[in-house]
Amino acid sequence: MKPRNRLFAAVLAVAGGLAPPLASAQQAAPEWRQLNAQQQHLLAPFREHWDRMSPARRQQLLQREQNWQRLPPLRQQRIDQRIERWQHMSPEQRARVRENLQRLRAMSPEQRQRLREAYARFQRMSPAEREALRQRWQQMRPEQRAQWLHEHVPPPRGGGERHGGPGRR
């Protein structure tokens, strides 16, 4: 199985936010041979285990596959691009992404809104303005960076220390 298919399967398996509440486990949970070609293609990473999965688990994966099919093609393309980027990240980069996601989830809605606004401002900058900001950041002393962060980035809800800076990847 291709690494991309395994990662897609993982996305399907953990993308609980995309799926509405599951239908009754009593509903038909087809065997692998009963799936159509498109379902088999998207669910290929589960092929070996499909018929041994509980009916509820099969229904859950089918529901997520249906949700995927309902996404606009552009949204599917963006997700594919994110999967591709994830596959090319080092373990350290993936750990940083997980940390950042954890910090984002710990923020209040107001803090997340401020962060979205700051990101939008950054995105509107020209490449030259972004580079100037990066260079300014690198030249700052630690206390200046702390002050800049205090003024421009919402603090984590649970407290804690900030890391990184503008344009950090």
Side-chain angles (χ1 to χ4, degrees):
M1 179 184 334
K2 294 180 182 177
R4 181 182 167 99
N5 286 346
R6 282 195 302 267
L7 189 56
F8 182 73
V11 168
L12 273 179
V14 298
L18 292 178
L22 290 176
S24 155
Q26 316 256 303
Q27 239 182 3
E31 293 180 1
W32 183 260
R33 62 182 165 72
Q34 296 171 309
L35 298 176
N36 65 41
Q38 189 171 16
Q39 289 171 321
Q40 286 184 357
H41 174 73
L42 283 173
L43 297 168
F46 301 103
R47 180 187 181 134
E48 292 179 33
H49 309 287
W50 185 265
D51 290 333
R52 293 189 307 264
M53 287 181 186
S54 71
R57 180 69 173 138
R58 284 189 247 165
Q59 270 309 123
Q60 181 182 46
L61 290 170
L62 282 171
Q63 183 64 50
R64 290 178 180 166
E65 181 271 335
Q66 289 171 1
N67 288 340
W68 172 261
Q69 294 303 327
R70 283 192 283 261
L71 290 175
L74 186 58
R75 180 75 175 122
Q76 288 181 9
Q77 182 182 0
R78 283 189 202 137
I79 292 171
D80 282 342
Q81 289 168 347
R82 288 179 181 167
I83 290 170
E84 186 77 22
R85 264 196 323 255
W86 181 262
Q87 287 179 313
H88 289 94
M89 287 182 184
S90 69
E92 296 79 21
Q93 290 171 316
R94 290 179 184 186
R96 262 197 319 254
V97 169
R98 288 183 188 108
E99 284 175 24
N100 288 339
L101 184 57
Q102 191 173 15
R103 280 197 296 248
L104 183 65
R105 287 179 177 154
M107 289 180 181
S108 70
E110 297 80 22
Q111 290 169 323
R112 282 194 295 274
Q113 181 60 33
R114 275 186 62 202
L115 185 60
R116 275 192 291 276
E117 291 166 2
Y119 180 72
R121 284 193 306 272
F122 184 78
Q123 290 297 103
R124 286 190 300 268
M125 290 180 176
S126 69
E129 290 170 320
R130 290 181 197 178
E131 185 55 33
L133 179 59
R134 283 186 188 101
Q135 287 178 5
R136 224 177 350 175
W137 177 263
Q138 290 170 349
Q139 294 170 356
M140 288 181 188
R141 294 185 314 271
E143 61 274 6
Q144 290 173 314
R145 289 181 180 182
Q147 181 61 36
W148 189 94
L149 286 171
H150 179 72
E151 294 169 2
H152 296 90
V153 180
R157 186 187 296 178
E161 188 178 318
R162 290 193 191 100
H163 297 69
R168 179 178 172 245
R169 291 196 179 263

